[in-house]
Amino acid sequence: MYDVIVIGTGPGGYHAAIRAAQLGKKVLAIEADAVGGVCLNVGCIPTKALLHAAEEVENARKAAEFGLEFGEPKVDLNKLGSWRDGIVKRLTGGVQTLFKANKVELKRGFARFVGPKKLEVNGEVVEGRSIIIATGSEPATLPGFEPDEQGILTSTGALKIEEGVPKRFLAIGAGAIGLEFASIMNRFGAEVTVVEFMPQILPGSDAEVANLLARILGKQGITIKTQTKAVGYEKKKDGYHVTLEHVETGAQEEIVVDKILVAVGRRPRTQGLGLEAAGVEVDAKGFIKVNDRMETSVPGVYAIGDVARPPLLAHKAMKEGLVAAENAAGGNAVFDYQIPGVVYTSPEWAAVGMTEEEAREKGINVKVGKFPLTASGRAMTLGATEGVIKLVGDADTDLLLGVHIVAPEASDLIAEAALALEMAATVTDLALTVHAHPTLAESVMEAAEHFHKQAIHIANR
Amino acid sequence: ERRLIPAAPSIRRLARELGVDIHRIEGTGIAGRITEEDVRRAAGQAPAP
Ligand SMILES: Cc1cc2nc3c(=O)[nH]c(=O)nc-3n(C[C@H](O)[C@H](O)[C@H](O)COP(=O)(O)OP(=O)(O)OC[C@H]3O[C@@H](n4cnc5c(N)ncnc54)[C@H](O)[C@@H]3O)c2cc1C
């Protein structure tokens, strides 16, 4: 009998397992596939490795502007592939070492509920006082574009860069995954098109900032078509002839590409898990229903990460894992945090808190502050002045409500904004914090100053 | 949908530990921020000396 059994060792699962062990619990973690889950094996980590390499290619080209000539970069795709794999191996090995150090028992196999607190793995039945479900998600499919990982790819297939950079690449879906692969392929020399059903890229995010990113990516040579859906394709000798249709006008066009990435979302992985045997309820979209304590409909059974609810992000899964583990250990934790989102294109996009639209819909007296990177000395010294920091705040209370960034290192800049929101900082608090000069982070301070029409480095309109 | 609670994570956790609903607390800090004292008062505890 275990105190806690965790199903899945992705970011959510391994966090839950380690925290439960730290709290003195006897923990079993079960993994059907690769330790580390999607994020470490076929998600965050390998994509970030490829994005970094792709950005370095671009940086090497751009360096000519300030007199550094490297010549046209040569990319050894096999070497790049092994570098990517090496990082994945080191990190996933690290998770197993951490399990050992914390005395988390690891069992390889596919777990299936045979009772509320009973699981069957490899024909063996294991029992836990608490069960934490962290089975993650898998790529959603798009009718008419069934992936074969040859020409029609999921993100997992698209990661196999050593199989060659396609001459013409189409990404269906302008979410984080679609845009990141578009960036990778574009930098490595592909002709890239991205189609998005919704009126803007990164649907649901601050429209003004998303549209700015779309314009910047457009200038880099990526063709982005919003309000457009891919309706089908015909495979011919010269490539995939894909029919695109404008969502409103119905106008159709055909483009010819060599590879197609289907990145239209992800769906929770609950198939074959035997949730019925446990009595665990799922919602209409297949996500396991949970409350803020990460409890499912069955007492003592928790669900975390991608399988529980959107947004499907690693850091959200990690924190939910800690919340579930603490509750399984008798604590009283709730998930009541702000969740930043990041897209690792270059420049990067990052946001946390409310969008301007959301704040207005809530009836808040909204005010915004903005600072363009064209006015940032640091951005100039980096040769990257495209981007903006946008703050959304409450004009009545001065409370900060949201921060939206397009900038180099936006992924790191957003942490300050997340802390500010967690601490219930006012826009004044942000403006009064001394930011080192010259840094990109100063632009956050200046956006806060602009909120009060007192920015120094721009005219305050 | 989640709304912004004007209280730091440690304050929110303290409220849970003391069994008070943070959503019902009226913050007395700047911009309506909820302080440790606000939470202790709501929990019926004497303010810290
Ligand atoms: C290409 C790509 C890039 C991404 N980049 C980022 C990023 O930069 N930042 C970010 O925050 N997020 C990113 N994500 C999302 C991130 O990967 C997920 O949010 C995260 O992995 C979710 O963690 P999880 O623990 O919920 O599940 P997962 O990581 O999906 O792990 C679930 C694990 O459970 C195992 N499992 C499933 N069912 C069973 C069973 N019945 N028995 C035993 N084991 C089982 C699976 O094998 C898997 O290992 C990316 C995703 C993709 C696809």
Side-chain angles (χ1 to χ4, degrees), chain A residues 292 332-338 362 397 399-401 422-426 429, chain B residues 1-10 12-13 16-17 22 30-33:
Chain A
D292 272 357
N332 180 19
V334 307
F335 191 100
D336 60 356
Y337 306 108
Q338 300 294 319
K362 282 189 169 38
T397 62
L399 272 177
L400 179 70
L401 300 173
E422 291 295 353
M423 299 304 291
T426 59
D429 291 326
Chain B
E1 207 179 290
R2 209 171 296 283
R3 78 182 169 90
L4 209 66
I5 308 158
S10 49
R12 305 198 302 261
R13 185 162 71 183
R16 284 199 297 280
E17 282 166 7
I22 193 103
I30 280 183
R33 279 200 289 243

Side-chain angles (χ1 to χ4, degrees), chain A residues 281 287-297 301-304 307-309 320:
Chain A
E281 287 174 23
F287 290 104
I288 297 177
K289 286 190 196 167
V290 289
N291 59 20
D292 272 357
R293 290 169 45 87
M294 308 317 298
E295 292 165 325
T296 67
S297 53
V301 178
Y302 303 82
I304 58 172
V307 80
R309 56 189 180 184
E320 288 182 346

